[in-house]
């Protein structure tokens, strides 16, 4: 771990602010999407699995469980639910018939893209209201946030 010139109190303060602000940002975006998105909101676990499968198409249930820090039987149940909703499909592995690879359906891809567009538009709109300095500060921290995410959850990045 690299040495830091920041005091433990400074690090604790940054950690505290991040812990408070990141979920609040997420909730604010979700509320705005809920107002405009014309489809029913999926439960958080289903959404997390769909986002993961879109990002890592062909992932297996076991790999998805590891990435989501869930039990494979719980992910399997989510797969069944999303398959029934025609948002996810299982494709049998040609070499091992016991293994299924997960793929988003065209409907899932379209809906995820729409949610991404809505969230991006909301954040862009909010960024326009910030000062140049605030936008520059946010831009310079993006790499650090990505690194922090990888340290907290190596499979996420």
């Amino acid at each position: 771990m690299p040495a830091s010139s920041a005091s433990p109190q400074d690090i604790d303060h940054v950690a505290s602010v991040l812990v408070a602000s990141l979920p609040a940002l997420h909730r604010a975006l979700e509320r705005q999407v809920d107002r405009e998105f014309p489809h029913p909101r999926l439960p958080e676990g289903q959404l997390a699995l769909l986002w993961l499968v879109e990002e890592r198409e062909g992932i297996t249930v076991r790999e998805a469980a590891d990435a989501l820090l869930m039990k494979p039987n719980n992910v399997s149940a989510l797969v069944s639910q999303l398959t029934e909703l025609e948002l996810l499909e299982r494709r049998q592995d040609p070499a091992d018939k016991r293994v299924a690879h997960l793929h988003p359906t065209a409907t899932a891809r379209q809906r995820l893209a729409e949610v991404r567009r809505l969230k991006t538009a909301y954040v862009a709109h909010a960024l326009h209201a910030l000062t140049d300095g605030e936008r520059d500060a946010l831009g310079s921290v993006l790499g650090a946030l990505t690194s922090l995410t990888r340290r907290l959850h190596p499979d996420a990045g």
Side-chain angles (χ1 to χ4, degrees):
M1 181 174 233
S4 172
S5 61
S7 74
Q9 293 84 5
D10 289 342
I11 290 173
D12 287 348
H13 174 72
V14 169
S16 177
V17 172
L18 282 171
V19 165
S21 63
L22 293 178
L25 174 65
H26 176 75
R27 282 191 307 275
L29 284 170
E30 291 302 317
R31 277 190 212 111
Q32 289 184 318
V33 168
D34 286 346
R35 280 188 233 132
E36 288 190 44
F37 193 63
H39 305 284
R41 179 162 166 63
L42 296 174
E44 200 62 38
Q46 289 180 0
L47 281 172
L49 179 59
L50 269 182
W51 286 113
L52 177 66
V53 170
E54 182 197 42
E55 180 183 317
R56 295 172 49 189
E57 186 160 352
I59 193 170
T60 66
V61 169
R62 179 160 301 283
E63 292 166 341
D66 289 344
L68 296 171
L69 305 175
M70 294 176 70
K71 293 179 182 177
N73 60 325
N74 291 340
V75 172
S76 185
L78 293 174
V79 169
S80 295
Q81 294 162 5
L82 290 168
T83 300
E84 189 174 306
L85 293 170
E86 298 181 355
L87 296 172
L88 201 63
E89 58 184 47
R90 295 179 182 107
R91 296 184 193 161
Q92 201 170 50
D93 188 300
D96 185 348
K97 303 293 185 208
R98 297 169 297 171
V99 175
H101 296 276
L102 306 176
H103 299 269
T105 64
T107 300
R109 287 181 204 284
Q110 178 270 324
R111 290 181 185 177
L112 291 172
E114 180 61 22
V115 168
R116 189 176 292 107
R117 278 191 297 275
L118 285 169
K119 287 182 177 183
T120 299
Y122 298 140
V123 172
H125 180 74
L127 286 170
H128 283 292
L130 300 179
T131 67
D132 288 343
E134 289 169 327
R135 278 191 299 276
D136 290 345
L138 283 171
S140 68
V141 79
L142 294 176
L145 283 172
T146 300
S147 294
L148 179 62
T149 301
R150 284 191 189 118
R151 287 201 181 271
L152 292 171
H153 189 358
D155 291 331

